């Protein structure tokens, strides 16, 4: 099962990524994924060249049980971030990740988008659980997910490898 539909909110088109859309938006995507502040706690760091980003996204686009939605502003037609889900349909479970350009932080874009995606995951697709694994020092992301009702359940010890160091 893939969650194939797109979403529209008051300010955003939330569009499921495919190869064509990636090629159309790759420069905008690179601007986020090459931003050291936005990728600080990502677990994979930031991209310094387009070739590496293209290889990574090609791999993700081929991956089963994984989807990415681009957040595109309706008014400016501008990519501002994305939401990805890794899911297990046998266990009705998903893991979510969110990235947003720092220029759009504190404007509720991600809140608007994640509400739509989570509603679909739970109501339309019948998932029972969604988790977010967050770097222990990423207080902004921890607060964001707590505002959605996510609860701290435990520590995955040394689960993030970042710049040669393991973090919880």
């Amino acid at each position: 099962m893939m969650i194939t539909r797109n979403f529209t909110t008051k300010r955003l088109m939330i569009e499921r990524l495919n190869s064509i859309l990636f090629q159309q938006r790759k420069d905008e995507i690179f601007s986020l994924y090459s931003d050291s502040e936005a990728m600080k706690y990502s677990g994979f760091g930031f991209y310094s060249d387009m070739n590496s980003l293209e290889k990574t996204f090609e791999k993700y686009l081929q991956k089963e049980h994984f989807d990415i939605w681009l957040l595109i502003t309706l008014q400016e037609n501008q990519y501002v971030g994305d939401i990805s889900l890794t899911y297990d349909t046998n266990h009705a479970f998903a893991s979510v990740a969110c990235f947003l350009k720092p220029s759009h932080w504190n404007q509720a874009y991600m809140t608007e988008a994640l509400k739509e995606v989570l509603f679909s995951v739970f109501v339309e697709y019948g998932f029972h659980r969604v988790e977010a694994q967050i770097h222990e020092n990423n207080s902004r992301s921890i607060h964001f997910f707590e505002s959605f009702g996510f609860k701290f359940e435990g520590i995955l010890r040394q689960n993030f490898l970042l710049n040669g160091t393991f973090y919880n």
Side-chain angles (χ1 to χ4, degrees), residues 71-87:
L71 283 52
I72 301 167
T73 59
L74 290 173
Q75 193 166 23
E76 301 87 4
N77 190 31
Q78 178 184 23
Y79 163 81
V80 296
D82 56 63
I83 297 173
S84 63
L85 280 181
T86 303
Y87 48 89

Side-chain angles (χ1 to χ4, degrees), residues 2-141:
M2 289 179 148
I3 303 170
T4 57
R5 81 178 195 85
N6 295 327
F7 309 90
T8 304
T9 67
K10 182 179 175 183
R11 300 180 296 163
L12 296 169
M13 166 58 92
I14 305 164
E15 195 168 353
R16 188 170 170 273
L17 188 64
N18 58 43
S19 297
I20 294 168
L21 183 58
F22 177 75
Q23 287 304 316
Q24 293 169 345
R25 299 280 184 172
K26 69 181 178 182
D27 290 333
E28 292 175 280
I29 294 168
F30 182 73
S31 74
L32 171 60
Y33 282 81
S34 64
D35 185 304
S36 61
E37 183 64 20
M39 297 291 112
K40 185 175 183 177
Y41 299 114
S42 68
F44 50 81
F46 65 94
Y47 289 86
S48 58
D49 66 274
M50 180 64 79
N51 189 43
S52 297
L53 180 77
E54 287 177 326
K55 286 180 181 180
T56 298
F57 272 79
E58 284 174 22
K59 180 180 76 174
Y60 283 142
L61 287 168
Q62 301 304 313
K63 201 171 176 185
E64 286 189 61
H65 308 287
F66 181 82
D67 290 308
I68 301 174
W69 289 271
L70 302 187
L71 283 52
I72 301 167
T73 59
L74 290 173
Q75 193 166 23
E76 301 87 4
N77 190 31
Q78 178 184 23
Y79 163 81
V80 296
D82 56 63
I83 297 173
S84 63
L85 280 181
T86 303
Y87 48 89
D88 181 337
T89 55
N90 291 327
H91 298 283
F93 163 82
S95 185
V96 64
C98 303
F99 295 102
L100 189 67
K101 290 183 175 183
S103 60
H104 290 77
W105 289 355
N106 301 315
Q107 297 177 40
Y109 282 107
M110 191 57 72
T111 299
E112 193 174 311
L114 192 58
K115 281 181 184 177
E116 291 296 318
V117 172
L118 289 178
F119 180 83
S120 180
V121 166
F122 284 116
V123 175
E124 295 175 26
Y125 291 92
F127 277 61
H128 177 72
R129 176 182 168 81
V130 175
E131 72 169 18
Q133 294 183 19
I134 304 167
H135 187 289
E136 65 185 332
N137 296 330
N138 192 347
S139 58
R140 178 186 298 276
S141 189

